[in-house]
Amino acid sequence: MTTVAPAKTASRLDHQPGGGRPTARKSPYPYWFLVPGGLIFTIFFLVPSVMAFYFSLTRWTLFDQEFIGLDNYVQFFREPALASGLWHTIVYAAVTSGLKVVLGMALAVLLTGPILGRGFMRSVAFFPVLVSTIGVGLTFQVLMHPTKGVINQALDLIGITGPAWLVDPDWALLSVALVDVWQGAGLATVIYMAGILSIPGEYFEAAKVDGAGPWQRFRHVTLPLSKPAGVSVIILSLIGGMRKFDLIWAMTKGGPGFTSDVMASVVYKQYQAGFYGLSTAGNVVLFLLVIVIVLPLFWFFNRREDAR
Amino acid sequence: MRLVTALAAGTLSLALSACSAGSLGSSDDEGGGKTEITFLTNNDPSNVKVAEAVIAAFEAKNTDVDVKLDTRPQGSEGDNLVKTRLATGDMADVFEYNSGSLLQAIAPQTNLTPVTGEAWVGDLDPTFKQVVSAGTDVYGSPWGAIVGGGIFYNKPLYTKLGLQAPKTWAEFMANNAKIKAAGVAPVEQTYSETWTSQILVLADFHNVSAAQPDFAGKYTNNQAKFATTPQALAGFQHLEELKKAGYWNDDYASAKYNEGLNAVAVGKAGHYPMITFGVPALDTAAPDNVNDVGFFALPGDDAAKNGVTLWEPSGIYIPKSTEGGKLTAAKRFQAFIASPEGCAANASAAPVGGPFAVKTCKLPDTVAPAVKDLSAYVDAGAASPALEFLSPIKGPALEQITVEVGSGIRGATDGAKLYDEDVKKQAQQLGIKGW
């Protein structure tokens, strides 16, 4: 069965930027065409990035600055309240990314299948993506109120005592992650749908002729051939999850205590307290964390694809 | 195209900033010979009401000055705005900002105009003078009243159960047990607004300094820690003890400040640890029950040393960037705020949360009972300023730590240790020697 997936088709479906080999082709533009773009890139992207690295090594206020070497980084990793933010970030990114992959795939199979009102259903699945994250956060903060919230009142009706979602230290991070999944699954669904719809119909027909049931068709045709879409979903949701700030800030502000603090909210709090150097160092740590986790994953997925 | 857009955006923002600075400069000659000055304060509705009343009273007496009111956000957002405007020389002619430790963070000696020689400085309460000074100079006049931290209690409930305002922690716990037995939540906590969780630790400072008068100095010099000083650790232990005893209201994790004020006013809770600046807010949270709320200082170990921790009002400052005719007008405005007329205008606009920091000002007769209770401590001399007015260091994560200790996520000693780390970070940031 697996032989129906020739490597060529898979790589043609690969829309990953930067996934290919470096091209030796000559640019169609002369060098002076690059000057405006290069200037903008240098002034607005390169210089601030390099400056951020420098300022993460200083203790600075708006009035003066002092070079202190790696002290900010030492502080970051030594203080339990800051270090726990690092761990929460990884948990949060893994949970949201994992659920988005599973839910997105399930919804995509449903919404590409023969169901009633497909166009409308597709819009409904995508709708939460369009709503402002802060709005979603504040809305769910009301819905998840332990006693006055609709969610727990509904659970009460069927005899379940719901947890105190956002104010229970064991649940707070997970509750925010669940809302994030609710909001972001639509995007994963759309990417998966694009992947599934680009699979030529002949494969499904051939599988049917060979006597494959629905589960086998899913397992041996849809799943392997929509893998490039899956890689996009994983990478995008992982990066998004690690950088998440707005939703967490709107819902819990990192609380109760530090139990739902992630890197981005920790960085923001240090900035608020006037620890500008420390918060810049936190940003650098976040940047490195994203690279350390995402790059190897990216290579891993692409290598698997080439080898297949 | 992108370059053009970027350039256009850049020019526009330059033009905008130049415009605002320019209009500030040129307004000197406008308004029929009137000097126009700008007053920047925080945007809390009752604060704005007070500012408007004070400006109106000032302008009625000083017809040649026109004061324009400008507002900024509260909290750390407002802090950053003040710091940025000072650093760029774009500050309003007169502005309201914290006194005490936060004042030191805006470098008064480089950024503010000293007012040491002004006549009204002699009328200032000595503790207030201390918290608006840097080096040998005084920089500000007081904005609002001195408030006290301690515990709001429900007076009808105390009468019904035959309780007395406690002087020691043991008496307080005994009262709590009786209140719980009567089916009422003994102590209200409101962790949805995290700052309210700090009061049990911060308001306990009078007990710390009564037992160790030199604590503040040692703390600033990195010689005393919360985790290793028993009296300082007590604040964290109280939180842990009350949580373990099950004395909080059921919804402590999700309740808000205004709900807390309401609860103690209508008798849903027996106590609410709070600062008396909550008295004006009681007026909106439970307008019919303001007179049912009493106040007592946070009880400590020793009944003989029972007293209240005081928070000084914020200050009114003039930046160095204000010069010439504007400076004269700004100084007159600053002096007016520190005069009996200024205090009267303040009291006419909103209920007062405590005594004024100007000796020539008198409290109106119609203050709330909680404020009368506070004044009794102040008049008896049983009061100390809060730690943040004696030391430039206050760790910014205290509210999260107290939420953790009060919710049972972290133990008291562990919480105090974590706070000591937080304090260290702040001290290093301020460049204090010995850290």
Side-chain angles (χ1 to χ4, degrees):
Chain A
M1 262 308 156
T2 39
T3 48
V4 293
K8 247 189 180 166
T9 323
S11 64
R12 207 167 358 111
L13 284 170
D14 180 12
H15 298 305
Q16 290 298 321
R21 291 149 293 281
T23 48
R25 242 184 324 144
K26 232 185 143 230
S27 165
Y29 300 115
Y31 279 118
W32 59 268
F33 250 67
L34 308 180
V35 171
L39 217 58
I40 292 171
F41 177 76
T42 310
I43 295 174
F44 292 107
F45 297 97
L46 204 58
V47 172
S49 303
V50 174
M51 272 167 72
F53 279 102
Y54 169 72
F55 277 115
S56 74
L57 302 175
T58 63
R59 185 177 292 141
W60 58 289
T61 64
L62 288 162
F63 307 113
D64 57 9
Q65 52 158 300
E66 177 197 353
F67 187 83
I68 54 163
L70 291 172
D71 281 8
N72 284 330
Y73 293 93
V74 173
Q75 178 85 38
F76 224 102
F77 288 108
R78 198 189 46 205
E79 197 180 315
L82 302 185
S84 71
L86 203 68
W87 169 240
H88 293 153
T89 306
I90 295 170
V91 171
Y92 185 88
V95 169
T96 53
S97 175
L99 284 176
K100 279 178 192 172
V101 168
V102 175
L103 267 179
M105 183 51 132
L107 281 174
V109 169
L110 175 76
L111 294 173
T112 50
I115 57 159
L116 203 66
R118 204 162 60 176
F120 174 72
M121 293 299 197
R122 285 180 183 179
S123 334
V124 169
F126 194 65
F127 177 68
V129 180
L130 304 176
V131 189
S132 142
T133 311
I134 297 290
V136 169
L138 295 178
T139 310
F140 270 91
Q141 202 186 26
V142 176
L143 297 181
M144 287 179 159
H145 190 283
T147 49
K148 295 179 224 154
V150 175
I151 296 181
N152 276 1
Q153 284 178 349
L155 286 176
D156 271 346
L157 288 182
I158 53 169
I160 301 173
T161 309
W165 305 101
L166 295 173
V167 293
D168 182 332
D170 296 329
W171 274 92
L173 189 67
L174 204 60
S175 304
V176 181
L178 290 179
V179 175
D180 191 343
V181 170
W182 174 81
Q183 203 203 1
L187 198 64
T189 308
V190 168
I191 297 174
Y192 266 124
M193 269 165 47
I196 292 174
L197 291 175
S198 69
I199 301 171
E202 294 91 64
Y203 293 125
F204 291 104
E205 281 163 27
K208 249 187 203 162
V209 170
D210 283 351
W215 169 251
Q216 282 171 312
R217 286 203 296 278
F218 171 75
R219 168 75 186 79
H220 296 292
V221 181
T222 311
L223 207 57
L225 289 186
S226 64
K227 193 167 173 192
V231 172
S232 300
V233 171
I234 293 173
I235 301 278
L236 283 177
S237 57
L238 257 185
I239 296 180
M242 279 190 277
R243 292 169 49 229
K244 203 66 181 181
F245 171 71
D246 38 11
L247 191 64
I248 290 168
W249 198 253
M251 295 183 73
T252 65
K253 290 199 160 61
F258 304 97
T259 48
S260 65
D261 249 337
V262 294
M263 284 299 285
S265 65
V266 165
V267 164
Y268 184 71
K269 280 183 188 166
Q270 304 308 312
Y271 157 76
Q272 268 195 325
F275 306 146
Y276 301 124
L278 192 61
S279 86
T280 317
N283 262 330
V284 173
V285 172
L286 180 59
F287 172 78
L288 294 177
L289 181 74
V290 172
I291 289 189
V292 162
I293 292 182
V294 172
L295 267 192
L297 213 60
F298 192 71
W299 278 324
F300 173 72
F301 283 131
N302 281 331
R303 203 196 54 206
R304 283 271 300 265
E305 226 155 67
D306 289 343
R308 198 150 37 86
Chain B
M1 188 56 212
R2 274 202 299 173
L3 180 64
V4 174
T5 321
L7 280 178
T11 326
L12 186 65
S13 64
L14 275 179
L16 280 177
S17 59
C19 172
S20 63
S23 60
L24 277 179
S26 63
S27 55
D28 240 349
D29 324 312
E30 286 163 18
K34 276 191 182 184
T35 312
E36 186 184 297
I37 56 171
T38 314
F39 172 46
L40 178 72
T41 185
N42 76 69
N43 62 7
D44 173 61
S46 68
N47 184 58
V48 170
K49 240 166 81 184
V50 169
E52 280 165 352
V54 170
I55 287 174
F58 173 74
E59 283 180 347
K61 279 195 73 183
N62 299 268
T63 44
D64 57 332
V65 182
D66 190 11
V67 183
K68 235 182 84 214
L69 181 65
D70 197 0
T71 57
R72 62 170 172 86
Q74 305 164 62
S76 23
E77 235 176 296
D79 267 18
N80 281 318
L81 186 129
V82 165
K83 286 176 191 162
T84 314
R85 287 189 67 174
L86 277 174
T88 53
D90 193 30
M91 183 41 96
D93 301 304
V94 185
F95 69 102
E96 169 262 329
Y97 188 70
N98 300 73
S99 54
S101 62
L102 289 170
L103 171 67
Q104 304 306 323
I106 62 169
Q109 277 141 316
T110 20
N111 293 314
L112 303 181
T113 306
V115 290
T116 322
E118 304 291 325
W120 51 266
V121 172
D123 297 334
L124 292 182
D125 182 272
T127 45
F128 176 76
K129 202 194 284 183
Q130 191 187 333
V131 297
V132 289
S133 298
T136 53
D137 276 320
V138 180
Y139 290 91
S141 66
W143 181 244
I146 298 175
V147 290
I151 291 177
F152 282 165
Y153 69 99
N154 186 273
K155 289 172 81 162
L157 187 71
Y158 260 57
T159 319
K160 196 178 112 194
L161 299 177
L163 302 176
Q164 293 287 318
K167 285 199 155 79
T168 65
W169 186 256
E171 286 171 31
F172 179 62
M173 289 307 274
N175 282 1
N176 281 332
K178 283 180 195 151
I179 293 172
K180 179 146 178 130
V184 176
V187 184
E188 178 81 12
Q189 290 286 280
T190 49
Y191 291 168
S192 185
E193 274 154 289
T194 46
W195 66 265
T196 61
S197 68
Q198 313 169 76
I199 311 299
L200 277 171
V201 171
L202 293 178
D204 198 36
F205 185 69
H206 174 83
N207 296 320
V208 179
S209 71
Q212 282 212 18
D214 56 348
F215 180 81
K218 280 188 169 171
Y219 164 81
T220 310
N221 296 326
N222 196 9
Q223 289 157 346
K225 300 275 167 214
F226 271 85
T228 52
T229 309
Q231 292 86 1
L233 182 60
F236 290 92
Q237 285 167 335
H238 291 163
L239 267 169
E240 191 180 34
E241 198 182 336
L242 287 166
K243 160 72 184 165
K244 280 193 176 153
Y247 283 167
W248 297 152
N249 47 313
D250 288 335
D251 60 345
Y252 73 94
S254 56
K256 289 177 157 44
Y257 170 53
N258 272 312
E259 293 168 357
L261 288 172
N262 180 274
V264 72
V266 303
K268 271 196 291 185
H271 303 112
Y272 185 33
M274 192 33 66
I275 304 178
T276 56
F277 59 49
V279 168
L282 267 177
D283 227 25
T284 34
D288 301 332
N289 301 80
V290 177
N291 289 329
D292 291 343
V293 180
F295 172 87
F296 58 82
L298 203 73
D301 293 335
D302 187 352
K305 288 179 178 168
N306 188 234
V308 72
T309 307
L310 295 179
W311 269 261
E312 298 294 332
S314 58
I316 298 292
Y317 308 101
I318 303 174
K320 281 240 166 81
S321 52
T322 303
E323 287 165 344
K326 278 170 181 286
L327 178 60
T328 324
K331 280 189 168 174
R332 268 161 58 197
F333 184 55
Q334 196 184 28
F336 177 79
I337 291 173
S339 71
E341 292 111 308
C343 296
N346 182 341
S348 71
V352 190
F356 288 105
V358 182
K359 286 186 241 163
T360 51
C361 289
K362 287 273 168 292
L363 265 182
D365 300 327
T366 54
V367 292
V371 175
K372 279 191 190 132
D373 291 343
L374 168 67
S375 300
Y377 286 104
V378 177
D379 295 342
S384 344
L387 181 56
E388 62 205 84
F389 297 105
L390 300 174
S391 166
I393 316 167
K394 181 181 181 247
L398 179 60
E399 50 194 271
Q400 281 90 24
I401 296 170
T402 46
V403 164
E404 289 210 327
V405 175
S407 309
I409 302 171
R410 198 184 286 276
T413 317
D414 199 18
K417 272 187 195 147
L418 189 58
Y419 183 55
D420 284 332
E421 276 292 309
D422 199 42
V423 162
K424 181 178 169 191
K425 209 160 62 173
Q426 178 74 60
Q428 287 177 341
Q429 179 73 23
L430 290 171
I432 293 170
K433 288 198 180 68
W435 289 80

